[in-house]
């Protein structure tokens, strides 16, 4: 070995180190960790799979929809929060919408227009309109007010484009309400408010969100998606809002449904981190058990 050139000895030493570290870190260590996990934390290591009648129905770590074939909420089940992951709770597309609080102006669909793929142009809803539409839908489902500040009664963002951007306004447009909709307010600073015309460019106008006097009844997690899009929990407040509907649909006493909510509510991590959450899948399975 000593008669070998120094550069070759260095390469052989590096190769030996690579082989040893590969065996230790690439084989022995993963096998050890996997073995300990399977022996001590079997359920968690295998994805916290939840079963019903011996069949896998989901994971306690990943949310899912409780809707019918048309996408309508099934009345007898608690509903999860919205999801921006693919078509909803898609583990291959986990993500948030990446829309921020300044995303308040919609792109109205133009009748007869096509998108880049040749499909009918559906426009683009702003984050504000998504929140307003979700709140309106939840309110209708639960029989409560779905109104929110900065939302119109028809469930879009209450936003004006005002022209000119500086000085006294000469024109005001409710840009998220497509004609022939009636604008949510009749006048803005003495100027009649117009409905939005699809395809018209309002970029030069000053964006003016209008706060109404509505008090939000629908909780925030019922109208916003989580950062991952996979959150399996809802807030106790959202569960409480749904409890009367579920009890009515199932013919159960409301107190029993509330007791199941409490039993499936997880507290703060380590007693102080985060907020309590209700696991929707576990709660719905507990309801099915009666």
């Amino acid at each position: 070995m000593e008669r070998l050139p120094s550069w070759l000895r260095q390469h052989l030493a590096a190769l030996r180190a690579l082989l040893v570290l590969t065996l230790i870190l690439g084989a022995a260590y993963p096998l050890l960790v996997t073995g300990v996990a399977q022996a001590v934390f079997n359920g968690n290591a295998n994805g916290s799979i939840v079963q019903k009648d011996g069949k896998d129905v989901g994971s306690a770590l990943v949310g899912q929809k409780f809707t019918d074939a048309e996408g309508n909420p099934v009345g007898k089940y608690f509903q999860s929060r919205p999801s921006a992951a693919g078509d909803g709770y898609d583990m291959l597309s986990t993500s948030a919408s990446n829309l921020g609080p300044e995303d308040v102006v919609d792109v109205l669909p133009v009748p007869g227009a096509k998108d880049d793929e040749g499909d009918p142009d559906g426009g683009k809803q702003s984050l504000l309109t998504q929140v307003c539409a979700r709140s309106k839908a939840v309110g209708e489902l639960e029989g409560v007010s779905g109104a929110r500040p900065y939302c119109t009664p028809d469930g879009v963002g209450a936003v004006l484009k005002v022209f000119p951007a500086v000085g006294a306004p000469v024109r005001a447009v409710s840009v998220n309400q497509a004609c022939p909709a009636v604008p949510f307010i009749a006048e803005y600073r003495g100027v009649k408010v117009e409905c939005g015309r699809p395809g018209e460019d309002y970029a030069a106008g000053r964006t003016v969100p209008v706060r109404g006097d509505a008090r939000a009844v629908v909780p925030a997690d019922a109208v916003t998606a989580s950062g991952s899009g996979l959150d399996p929990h809802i807030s106790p407040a959202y569960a409480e809002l749904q409890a009367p509907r579920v009890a009515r649909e199932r013919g159960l006493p409301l107190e029993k449904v509330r007791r199941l909510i409490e039993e499936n509510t997880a507290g703060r991590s380590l007693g102080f981190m985060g907020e309590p959450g209700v696991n929707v899948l576990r709660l719905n399975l507990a309801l099915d058990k009666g």
Side-chain angles (χ1 to χ4, degrees), residues 246-262:
V246 173
R248 183 174 62 253
E249 291 284 340
R250 290 178 176 265
L252 295 175
L254 181 57
E255 287 306 314
K256 180 175 182 179
V257 175
R258 285 174 170 164
R259 185 170 65 252
L260 289 174
I261 291 174
E262 184 177 353

Side-chain angles (χ1 to χ4, degrees), residues 219-241:
D221 62 304
V223 298
T224 55
S226 65
S228 68
L230 305 179
D231 190 354
H233 296 93
I234 58 175
S235 67
Y238 187 24
E240 176 64 27
L241 182 69

Side-chain angles (χ1 to χ4, degrees), residues 28 35 63 121 124 129 144 193 200 239 241 245 259 265 270 282 286:
D121 179 20
K124 176 184 175 294
T129 286
V144 299
V193 176
E200 188 167 340
L241 182 69
R245 167 184 45 88
R259 185 170 65 252
T265 299
L270 302 179
R282 293 194 183 279

Side-chain angles (χ1 to χ4, degrees), residues 10-183:
Q10 291 174 356
H11 281 73
L12 289 173
L15 181 60
R16 288 196 301 271
L18 173 64
L19 292 174
V20 171
L21 290 174
T22 299
L23 289 173
I24 294 175
L25 300 179
Y29 177 73
L31 288 173
L32 175 63
V33 171
T34 301
V36 171
Q38 290 293 330
V40 182
F41 307 105
N42 184 267
N44 301 68
N46 289 304
S48 299
I49 300 299
V50 178
Q51 292 189 329
K52 178 182 178 181
D53 300 328
K55 296 181 180 180
D56 297 341
V57 294
S59 169
L61 303 177
V62 180
Q64 59 180 267
K65 297 179 180 179
F66 294 90
T67 54
D68 60 20
E70 284 74 38
N72 300 311
V74 177
K76 68 177 184 177
Y77 286 120
F78 282 87
Q79 298 300 305
S80 305
R81 68 184 301 178
S83 170
D87 291 332
Y89 297 103
D90 183 353
M91 289 183 287
L92 298 179
S93 301
T94 173
S95 66
S97 67
N98 292 326
L99 301 178
E102 294 184 355
D103 188 59
V104 298
V105 177
D106 298 354
V107 176
L108 299 176
V110 179
K114 304 286 186 180
D115 61 18
D116 294 338
E117 298 178 355
D119 297 322
D121 179 20
K124 176 184 175 294
Q125 286 188 334
S126 64
L127 177 61
L128 177 59
T129 286
Q130 290 180 37
V131 167
C132 294
R134 290 165 180 167
S135 189
K136 182 174 182 291
V138 171
E140 292 172 351
L141 178 64
E142 308 302 345
V144 299
S145 171
R148 309 184 80 82
Y150 298 108
C151 293
T152 69
D154 52 347
V156 299
V159 179
L160 301 178
K161 278 288 188 176
V162 179
F163 303 84
V166 179
V170 296
R171 187 185 182 201
V173 182
S174 178
V175 287
N176 295 340
Q177 291 181 294
C179 294
V182 177

